[in-house]
Amino acid sequence: RKMEQLGTKNFGAYARKMLIDGYIIKVDYTQQKKLAAAVSRAATNINHEIWIAGSNVLTSAAVSTLFCGNKIFRGGFKGTESTIEEREEGAYSTIDGDGQFSAMSFRINCNVFFEHLHFRGSPARVLSKTNGCGDMFIEDCVFEENGNALYVQGANKTPYDKGSLYVKDSVFKNNFSTDAVDGSAAIY
């Protein structure tokens, strides 16, 4: 009966443990196993949703970050929310390029989605998507005082090659061109 309570059918292991220690402690690892499984699922998932709170200044180290895989960037959070519905209506988070060339770069077959973000301070490309198919979705964002705000290029160096750009309810103001030949201050 004691072996049943401990969940073992091996009498030899049970007897050896009792003879050596005189007792057996059974620990319930159910919650730890559930947590480990959840962490494993999150680690193997290349599709990530990233919530951004407050204002963020990107340094030169942050700019070199290259994102791969599908990404969703949501701004307007205070940092205390646990659901999107708790986010304050009309709130934005700021991504300040701090004079760096590009704020964020995406490559190789990924879809990216941005909402409730205010991008400013990148002298060349705020968001750059190159080398492969995938779509870029921009919703309720502000692009202010940047070089080419959005730069989207297909695998064969044409914006029409693969992937699309969708912009909805967004504002582009006081952006300036950094390309003397194909000068386009908002979208290139």
Side-chain angles (χ1 to χ4, degrees), residues 18-35:
M18 288 302 292
L19 287 171
I20 293 172
D21 296 333
Y23 62 91
I24 296 177
I25 298 173
K26 183 177 178 187
V27 179
D28 182 10
Y29 289 106
T30 306
Q31 293 300 325
Q32 288 85 348
K33 288 179 182 178
K34 286 180 183 178
L35 178 61

Side-chain angles (χ1 to χ4, degrees), residues 6-163:
L6 293 172
T8 184
K9 294 181 180 181
N10 186 333
F11 178 75
Y14 171 76
R16 189 170 28 261
K17 182 71 175 159
M18 288 302 292
L19 287 171
I20 293 172
D21 296 333
Y23 62 91
I24 296 177
I25 298 173
K26 183 177 178 187
V27 179
D28 182 10
Y29 289 106
T30 306
Q31 293 300 325
Q32 288 85 348
K33 288 179 182 178
K34 286 180 183 178
L35 178 61
V39 168
S40 177
R41 280 192 305 273
T44 57
N45 182 4
I46 62 167
N47 301 315
H48 295 281
E49 185 165 318
I50 300 165
W51 290 11
I52 302 171
S55 293
N56 300 273
V57 176
L58 301 177
T59 64
S60 58
V63 196
S64 63
T65 301
L66 175 65
F67 296 97
C68 295
N70 298 327
K71 301 284 182 268
I72 299 173
F73 293 87
R74 299 185 191 275
F77 295 97
K78 292 179 185 174
T80 57
E81 301 87 347
S82 56
T83 66
I84 293 174
E85 291 76 22
E86 294 176 46
R87 177 175 57 187
E88 186 178 311
E89 190 171 329
Y92 290 85
S93 293
T94 300
I95 303 292
D96 188 332
D98 194 34
Q100 303 300 322
F101 182 76
S102 290
M104 298 180 179
S105 295
F106 300 87
R107 293 187 185 169
I108 310 167
N109 300 328
C110 63
N111 295 307
V112 291
F113 177 86
F114 301 92
E115 72 167 11
H116 291 266
L117 292 167
H118 182 175
F119 295 95
R120 63 178 318 278
S122 289
R125 303 169 179 165
V126 176
L127 300 176
S128 176
K129 179 151 179 2
T130 60
N131 298 338
C133 62
D135 298 328
M136 182 181 286
F137 301 87
I138 311 290
E139 185 173 322
D140 199 15
C141 289
V142 176
F143 295 85
E144 183 177 18
E145 298 177 3
N146 299 292
N148 298 327
L150 301 175
Y151 181 83
V152 182
Q153 179 186 78
N156 293 323
K157 300 197 179 217
T158 124
Y160 313 107
D161 184 35
K162 293 182 179 178

